[in-house]
């Protein structure tokens, strides 16, 4: 039986208990908080992202499996795998030259997953400081996009139907942190009919297009996992509702609905008890937290696990972005 994937969003006090419970089954853990630090859990794929959590001091995203996992460390990537899934995290200091840093990180990721036999990247999360700041005359997000795009091409990845789901968010300080899930078998990349594919964006958003799919649907055994990329108030390729957080949120929800509908068409169960939903909402301004929280509760119900982070979004006119994972129990 292939292993299934398990996800928990854990706040503050429960972290120790969850790690104890996942011992031997942990794929990786990522800690978010304004002042995260202290104990690194030795020998575990554990990364820290310096991003304030709204309504809590920190939270940890814990990926584990029902099967035992095997830790590894190569190409400066720390990770763990099961028979069919691989989790990895890579972190490099980030002052200047984000394009080159990104290129180097993606090279190592491709080398790692290719060599270990998990060539199908399903989902990548990217975090780095100063995402909207210029660097040598080009916004750092655009330099990041160039480095990522060129690494994809240099490693023979076709940009399109097999491209992983992703998000890219700005932190206040710290390293470039990239973590990812890869598999032995390909998933199905999904696009949003309301939006132009990001890899086909016109050049006004940067010299190389962002390399990600709007969502990735993966299956292993009886389990289905839907990775929803960072989703924002974009229709076609344009930001809509500039300056209006409430309307941006509604447009974002419409985009998530559209992706969800695509996934259901590909065999993902409908929203409901058959699927668990995890969302991370990134807000440019902390003052929008109460209203966004209330609206997301109403939209997704009390079963959804939702965390809120203060982050810079990759377009200066975007006030929020939401990403998520929906998974079925599979057994
Ligand atoms: C967008 O739709 C908003 O560069 O990896 C969303 C998800 C966005 C992923 C990325 C960027 C990325 O274009 C921004």
């Amino acid at each position: 039986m292939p292993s299934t994937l398990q996800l928990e969003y854990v706040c503050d006090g429960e972290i120790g208990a969850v790690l104890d419970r996942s011992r031997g089954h942990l794929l990786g853990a990522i800690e978010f908080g304004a002042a995260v630090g202290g104990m690194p859990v030795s020998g575990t794929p554990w990364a820290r992202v310096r991003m304030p959590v709204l309504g809590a001091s920190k939270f940890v995203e814990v990926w584990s499996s029902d099967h035992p996992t095997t830790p590894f460390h190569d190409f400066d990537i720390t990770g763990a795998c099961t028979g069919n899934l691989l989790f990895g995290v890579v972190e490099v200091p980030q002052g200047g030259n984000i394009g080159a840093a990104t290129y180097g990180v993606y090279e190592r990721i491709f080398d790692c997953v290719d060599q270990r036999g998990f060539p199908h990247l399903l989902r990548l999360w990217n975090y780095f400081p100063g995402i909207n700041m210029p660097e040598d005359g080009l916004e750092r997000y655009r330099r990041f996009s160039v480095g990522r795009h060129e690494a994809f091409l240099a490693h023979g990845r076709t940009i399109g139907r097999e491209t992983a789901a992703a998000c890219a968010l700005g932190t206040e300080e710290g390293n470039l942190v990239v973590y990812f899930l890869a598999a032995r078998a390909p998933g199905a990349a999904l696009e949003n009919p309301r939006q132009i594919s990001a890899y086909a964006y016109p050049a006004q958003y940067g010299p190389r297009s962002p390399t990600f799919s709007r969502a990735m649907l993966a299956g292993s055994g009886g389990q289905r996992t839907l990775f929803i990329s960072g989703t924002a108030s974009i229709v076609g390729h344009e930001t809509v509702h500039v300056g209006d957080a409430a309307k941006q949120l509604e447009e974002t929800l419409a985009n998530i609905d559209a992706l969800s509908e695509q996934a259901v068409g590909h065999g993902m169960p409908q929203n409901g008890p058959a699927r668990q939903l995890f969302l991370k909402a990134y807000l440019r301004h902390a003052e929008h937290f109460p209203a966004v929280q209330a609206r997301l509760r109403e939209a997704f119900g009390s079963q959804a696990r939702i965390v809120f982070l203060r982050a810079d979004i990759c377009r200066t006119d975007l006030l929020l972005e939401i990403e998520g994972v929906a998974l079925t129990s599979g057994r």
Side-chain angles (χ1 to χ4, degrees):
M1 241 340 221
S3 68
T4 59
L5 194 53
Q6 291 158 356
L7 174 58
E8 285 170 278
Y9 283 177
V10 187
C11 279
D12 299 322
E14 318 151 58
I15 291 166
V18 170
L19 289 178
D20 277 348
R21 186 152 31 86
S22 8
R23 187 150 298 162
H25 292 252
L26 187 70
L27 284 163
I30 311 88
E31 187 178 357
F32 292 81
V36 296
M39 50 114 207
V41 182
S42 65
T44 54
W46 181 286
R48 296 200 176 93
V49 178
R50 289 273 196 122
M51 190 174 264
V53 181
L54 300 168
S57 65
K58 64 178 184 180
F59 108 92
V60 185
E61 179 178 333
V62 182
W63 291 94
S64 61
S65 173
D66 63 328
H67 284 198
T69 53
T70 309
F72 68 84
H73 183 88
D74 44 36
F75 300 101
D76 271 328
I77 295 173
T78 307
C81 51
T82 65
N84 51 301
L85 287 165
L86 179 147
F87 175 94
V89 53
V90 50
E91 185 165 349
V92 295
Q94 223 330 263
N97 217 339
I98 185 68
T102 303
Y103 185 88
V105 161
Y106 273 79
E107 278 207 298
R108 278 145 58 190
I109 292 173
F110 291 132
D111 285 342
C112 171
V113 298
D114 285 349
Q115 197 165 98
R116 292 191 164 267
F118 298 82
H120 302 287
L121 284 160
L122 300 174
R123 178 61 162 104
L124 290 140
W125 288 263
N126 304 280
Y127 299 95
F128 58 97
I131 195 167
N132 299 131
M133 303 297 284
E135 189 184 308
D136 294 330
L138 189 66
E139 188 191 49
R140 278 163 58 84
Y141 172 64
R142 297 176 183 209
R143 290 207 176 279
F144 159 87
S145 291
V146 171
R148 176 174 57 176
H149 190 114
E150 306 217 308
F152 267 75
L153 296 182
H155 286 257
R157 257 56 188 192
T158 50
I159 295 172
R161 289 163 28 130
E162 279 189 59
T163 305
C167 58
L169 283 308
T171 54
E172 283 163 17
E173 57 178 334
N175 296 331
L176 166 63
V177 177
V178 181
Y179 62 95
F180 59 93
L181 280 161
R184 292 220 192 269
L190 305 178
E191 289 300 310
N192 181 347
R194 306 180 80 242
Q195 298 182 318
I196 287 173
S197 297
Y199 44 78
Y201 277 169
Q204 73 197 79
Y205 302 103
R208 292 284 178 282
S209 61
T211 31
F212 69 94
S213 291
R214 298 297 179 183
M216 178 67 82
L217 182 59
S220 159
Q223 186 181 43
R224 291 284 169 280
T225 306
L226 175 66
F227 298 99
I228 302 167
S229 289
T231 304
S233 182
I234 294 174
V235 177
H237 59 76
E238 280 169 342
T239 302
V240 293
H241 315 303
V242 173
D244 187 330
K247 286 189 180 156
Q248 287 200 10
L249 178 56
E250 293 311 313
E251 205 67 56
T252 302
L253 291 173
N255 281 327
I256 291 173
D257 271 354
L259 284 169
S260 201
E261 194 181 308
Q262 294 295 308
V264 170
H266 282 74
M268 184 76 195
Q270 294 275 0
N271 241 340
R275 77 187 220 186
Q276 268 185 295
L277 183 64
F278 296 84
L279 297 173
K280 277 149 79 191
Y282 301 97
L283 307 184
R284 189 181 288 281
H285 302 298
E287 75 217 46
H288 294 140
F289 169 47
V292 174
Q293 183 181 42
R295 180 66 183 104
L296 292 185
R297 266 297 148 235
E298 179 187 60
F300 296 102
S302 59
Q303 293 306 306
R305 194 81 179 88
I306 311 176
V307 295
F308 297 83
L309 298 142
R310 217 302 301 155
D312 292 333
I313 321 293
C314 65
R315 286 188 189 182
T316 50
D317 53 13
L318 288 173
L319 296 170
L320 54 94
E321 180 175 313
I322 299 173
E323 56 130 310
V325 181
L327 71 186
T328 66
S329 72
R331 297 264 145 92

